[in-house]
Amino acid sequence: MSVDLGAVLVNDPRGARVSPSPWRTGAGWDMFRALVARELKGRYKGSVVGFVWAVLVPLFMAGIYTVFLRILAGQRVAIERVLVGVFAWQYTAQCVQGGMLAVTSNANLVKKVLFPRMLLPASAVAAHLVQYLVSVVVQTVLLAALGGAEWSLRGWLAWPLVVAGLTALNLGLALILSAAHVHLRDTQHLVGVLLSAWFFVSPVMYDLEFASAVVQARPGWAPWLWLNPLMSLFTAARACLLKGAAYPWSWASAASLAWPAVILGVGVLVFRRAQRHFADLL
Amino acid sequence: MSGNGSTIPAIEAEGLGKRYRVRGIGPPTLFGRVRDAVRGHAPAEFWALRDATFAVPRGRTIGVIGPNGAGKSSLLGLVAGTITPTTGRVVARGRICSLLELGAGFHPDLTGLENIQLNGAVLGIPRDELRRRTDRIIEFSGLDRFIGEPVRHYSSGMYVRLAFAVAAEAEPDILLVDEVLAVGDVAFQLKCLDRIRRLQREGRTLLFVSHALQTVEEFCDEVWLLHGGRIVAQGEPAPTILRYIREYMGEGGPVYTQEFGTREAEMAEVRLEDERGVEAAVFETGRPMTVRIRWRAPRRIERPVFGYSIKTANGLYLHGSNTQIAGVEIPAIEGEGEVRLTFDPLRLMEGHYLLSLSFHSWDHARQFHRREDWYPFAVRNRTGALGLVALDARWTVGEERDGGAPQPPPVA
């Protein structure tokens, strides 16, 4: 029997705090790893092809968008660009939808065990990131087969930064939405609507050139394009990976790259404030 | 019990309180908030726990009892840190693990083994330590044959066994137990209680919420009685449990009791006493229990009959008799006096019981005073035997000898 006091938990109206923090003892990382493993294992346990779905779904979508865009709009957006856009969009869309439920679907855990609540949306996003990276392998093979890939060192060095930016954005959104969903359960419906609107204003099945052409008829709209964080991220992703794609540097397009940091910062603040009342509302 | 003489309490709380806002049925929605704001509805408030100040020394076991909604679970949630207090603060020193989260975070599609890893990580067991203990966890749960199966296929009992096994291996400094031992089969319950005893011996601090009063009396160094969100009593187990039974379970308490009669004669005071003649609420299987009934009869009553019955807490009628059946004739009563009803040995087994008393005329035509399910009490069983009643059974080993037929003991 030791007199070692170990962890000290202080719980007051500002919320519960444990010192030393689970991040310093490594327990936080163990939990994170276990939760990500649960997400990944649980997601595909019941399905036959398992992980293959992670790749098949965006592939089908890319095919559908390419075909219909050509038939309906008569626009010739290169298939490679649609591919990059759809794979990246799939990552964000899944983080938004899955991340939103990260806390509410773990109500039992949140009500009964004290652990850093941020691990829930974070592990959901991390699991989707793993899935995205797997689909990127397929994406690269396809791009190489189609001949649209650009193999430049600069591009492959900048690409992880784009993925990091996209992940920060997704995590920020997951934090905000998962906290909001505890307090207001109908955010689910609202988010569904907003997500489809976001899909159409983002360069998923089209690219910046296409959007610029549309905007050209209405001068003054152009800088507003960069208000969408996905405009800069997807354009940057294409610039890294595809032949003939470049990032059009301007103050607006550069500022747009700061979005992920802003959203993540807001997400962390919002989540911190909201998490005190999670157990009361679940 | 309080082994190492450390003066710093394991758990300390000051002015701890938790207020809930009641927002009607269903989960909160944006739509609902807007509607309430338009209609000017303010959410109703209630205090689940109010102004709790206490200190629990290291190595002590505290039993928390009280009627439903008294604030027991809120208290545990506040100590565990999952609920944020509205007022005050609580400090807990040492690794906390709560048995209130049995199986929290289990994923139905993952196997038992995968869930051990997941649950262990969430409970804060370091990875290398967990790896070392995995075999012990599987052994304790007794599920080695099923450990590779998804827990979706587990029965609820198996689920709880696995969860308890993980929690027990977390080796917490502070263990919070919330009424979880009511699940699982008897053998596993005994195993759990055994493990809890070991944790006590190791000097862990326990906070124990239970409705099983006999378990509380057996395990706890101290009992807290909660009512209406306040800690109304803190003290020795026996008197605190007695107070709970008298004030909140019996007369006017949550038990459905009835009282009627002409009151030509009545039972004035009733005491349940143990073998030392001390008023008690928890009795022991195989030991005596005495019910002392003080009666009052303003007018003379010829040949009155006193009767009793005992039911289990869930209403099963176990036994009933009266002075008439027992052949004890009381010629007449007037004024004041006493009758005693003694159960020796008490043949009831572990559990909660309700005693009813009646006082009526010889021909049962007049009911003077009857108190139905009025006197709750608990029984603790230390004999090791199982079941509902203690039967007088004896084993005889070897050949039967002539004239050695065992005499049946008298039956009450």
Side-chain angles (χ1 to χ4, degrees):
Chain A
M1 194 161 65
S2 64
V3 198
D4 169 34
L5 294 178
V8 175
L9 176 136
V10 177
N11 193 9
D12 64 17
R14 285 181 296 152
R17 301 172 297 284
V18 179
S19 61
S21 91
W23 301 108
R24 202 167 315 157
T25 58
W29 295 110
D30 288 347
M31 264 179 249
F32 183 61
R33 219 181 334 239
L35 287 170
V36 174
R38 177 182 75 156
E39 286 273 327
L40 289 172
K41 283 180 195 159
R43 198 172 297 161
Y44 298 110
K45 270 272 159 91
S47 72
V48 186
V49 231
F51 221 76
V52 179
W53 281 115
V55 177
L56 283 181
V57 170
L59 217 53
F60 285 146
M61 283 174 68
I64 292 164
Y65 295 152
T66 313
V67 170
F68 278 86
L69 200 65
R70 287 189 182 181
I71 293 172
L72 295 176
Q75 292 291 337
R76 298 195 67 82
V77 177
I79 230 176
E80 298 85 357
R81 299 203 173 186
V82 177
L83 214 56
V84 172
V86 168
F87 274 65
W89 167 258
Q90 196 66 17
Y91 174 33
T92 297
Q94 284 183 334
C95 285
V96 166
Q97 285 168 331
M100 177 170 55
L101 305 175
V103 177
T104 35
S105 63
N106 285 298
N108 208 11
L109 207 54
V110 172
K111 278 196 287 194
K112 308 269 170 82
V113 196
L114 181 67
F115 64 98
R117 272 77 174 96
M118 276 189 201
L119 285 176
L120 293 172
S123 60
V125 169
H128 286 297
L129 173 64
V130 171
Q131 218 173 295
Y132 176 54
L133 293 177
V134 170
S135 75
V136 161
V137 174
V138 178
Q139 175 188 301
T140 310
V141 171
L142 281 172
L143 290 180
L146 291 165
E150 185 176 61
W151 308 98
S152 79
L153 182 66
R154 242 180 72 193
W156 281 101
L157 285 179
W159 160 251
L161 291 178
V162 177
V163 175
L166 193 57
T167 304
L169 174 75
N170 291 347
L171 179 56
L173 290 173
L175 286 169
I176 295 168
L177 292 172
S178 60
H181 193 240
V182 177
H183 286 261
L184 307 162
R185 292 300 156 80
D186 45 2
T187 28
Q188 211 168 346
H189 309 289
L190 199 61
V191 165
V193 173
L194 292 179
L195 200 60
S196 46
W198 198 20
F199 172 76
F200 284 105
V201 300
S202 300
V204 181
M205 54 179 187
Y206 53 85
D207 55 16
L208 178 66
E209 285 73 22
F210 176 87
S212 304
V214 173
V215 163
Q216 220 145 44
R218 304 163 183 85
W221 279 34
W224 296 104
L225 283 179
W226 298 105
L227 269 184
N228 180 358
L230 291 185
M231 184 60 83
S232 50
L233 286 168
F234 288 4
T235 305
R238 286 169 178 146
C240 290
L241 299 174
L242 300 176
K243 272 185 202 149
Y247 196 75
W249 290 102
S250 70
W251 67 266
S253 73
S256 182
L257 287 171
W259 263 123
V262 174
I263 304 259
L264 181 58
V266 171
V268 169
L269 289 178
V270 166
F271 196 90
R272 277 223 182 118
R273 268 191 68 84
Q275 65 180 357
R276 283 172 234 167
H277 306 294
F278 281 175
D280 303 354
L281 295 163
L282 288 169
Chain B
M1 276 261 128
S2 52
N4 56 16
S6 160
T7 50
I8 306 167
I11 310 170
E12 229 176 334
E14 222 184 278
L16 197 61
K18 177 67 186 174
R19 182 185 58 202
Y20 282 103
R21 296 210 159 88
V22 194
R23 287 207 171 81
I25 322 154
T29 59
L30 181 62
F31 189 73
R33 291 261 176 105
V34 172
R35 191 188 49 206
D36 285 355
V38 169
R39 289 187 188 163
H41 278 192
E45 292 180 345
F46 83 98
W47 286 85
L49 190 73
R50 206 156 197 183
D51 213 17
T53 300
F54 55 81
V56 181
R58 195 154 290 275
R60 217 166 158 78
T61 300
I62 308 286
V64 182
I65 59 172
N68 289 329
K72 304 187 295 289
S73 295
S74 295
L75 177 67
L76 253 58
L78 288 165
V79 174
T82 55
I83 302 176
T84 305
T86 313
T87 62
R89 72 185 221 140
V90 56
V91 178
R93 297 180 184 87
R95 178 147 88 186
I96 302 182
C97 183
S98 21
L99 283 188
L100 43 126
E101 80 248 359
L102 281 189
F106 270 19
H107 194 297
D109 284 327
L110 300 186
T111 67
L113 190 62
E114 286 168 327
N115 271 307
I116 290 177
Q117 283 149 6
L118 174 69
N119 212 24
V122 170
L123 293 179
I125 309 178
R127 224 148 63 107
D128 44 338
E129 216 174 296
L130 184 62
R131 207 169 299 137
R132 265 186 284 119
R133 291 184 186 168
T134 301
D135 288 341
R136 286 229 301 273
I137 293 173
I138 296 170
E139 196 203 312
F140 188 82
S141 72
L143 292 170
D144 42 334
R145 276 174 51 217
F146 307 100
I147 210 70
E149 292 275 317
V151 296
R152 180 186 292 288
H153 300 155
Y154 283 21
S155 69
S156 54
M158 288 158 78
Y159 198 87
V160 167
R161 280 156 70 162
L162 187 63
F164 184 87
V166 181
E169 280 300 326
E171 307 241 309
D173 301 309
I174 299 171
L175 186 71
L176 310 175
V177 187
D178 190 356
E179 201 67 78
V180 287
L181 301 173
V183 279
D185 52 50
V186 176
F188 191 72
Q189 272 182 39
L190 292 175
K191 212 167 156 185
C192 293
L193 291 175
D194 209 49
R195 176 54 68 96
I196 287 178
R197 254 184 223 111
R198 206 184 86 190
L199 291 168
Q200 283 183 318
R201 278 199 302 275
E202 289 167 351
R204 321 269 176 186
T205 310
L206 268 81
L207 219 56
F208 196 97
V209 166
S210 183
H211 287 289
L213 298 175
Q214 70 281 3
T215 315
V216 170
E217 177 166 321
E218 185 174 349
F219 272 94
C220 301
D221 305 316
E222 185 182 329
V223 171
W224 298 352
L225 171 57
L226 264 67
H227 186 251
R230 291 186 188 271
I231 302 179
V232 292
Q234 282 172 291
E236 289 285 311
T240 315
I241 290 172
L242 181 65
R243 182 167 164 194
Y244 169 50
I245 278 188
R246 287 222 305 226
E247 287 180 26
Y248 302 115
M249 269 180 86
E251 310 154 47
V255 180
Y256 181 71
T257 57
Q258 274 183 302
E259 181 175 25
F260 48 88
T262 61
R263 298 295 184 94
E264 288 161 83
E266 59 181 10
M267 296 175 275
E269 196 203 345
V270 174
R271 278 163 62 100
L272 275 64
E273 292 177 356
D274 64 13
E275 57 202 302
R276 295 163 298 163
V278 176
E279 187 167 18
V282 179
F283 298 87
E284 212 169 299
T285 306
R287 320 287 308 199
M289 172 174 110
T290 300
V291 183
R292 293 168 71 119
I293 307 163
R294 299 278 320 162
W295 53 261
R296 201 179 307 141
R299 287 191 304 111
R300 185 183 163 84
I301 290 171
E302 305 284 339
R303 300 171 83 198
V305 177
F306 286 92
Y308 77 95
S309 75
I310 292 176
K311 291 180 197 161
T312 62
N314 43 25
L316 178 70
Y317 193 107
L318 281 178
H319 187 72
S321 186
N322 60 31
T323 48
Q324 194 178 37
I325 295 169
V328 179
E329 203 179 321
I330 307 164
I333 54 168
E334 190 173 5
E336 271 180 46
E338 184 178 280
V339 286
R340 278 181 305 281
L341 169 66
T342 302
F343 301 86
D344 187 14
L346 187 62
R347 298 259 166 83
L348 302 172
M349 301 288 272
E350 185 118 342
H352 291 173
Y353 298 91
L354 298 165
L355 173 71
S356 308
L357 293 175
S358 66
F359 191 7
H360 54 82
S361 64
W362 186 258
D363 57 2
H364 295 243
R366 292 180 77 80
Q367 199 62 252
F368 304 132
H369 194 187
R370 187 177 177 90
R371 282 178 163 171
E372 196 72 33
D373 301 338
W374 201 267
Y375 305 99
F377 63 96
V379 177
R380 182 173 54 210
N381 170 28
R382 281 182 173 156
T383 63
L386 304 174
L388 197 60
V389 288
L391 297 177
D392 279 299
R394 77 180 72 205
W395 297 92
T396 313
V397 181
E399 303 300 317
E400 194 180 346
R401 278 177 298 163
D402 286 333
Q407 284 293 310
V411 173

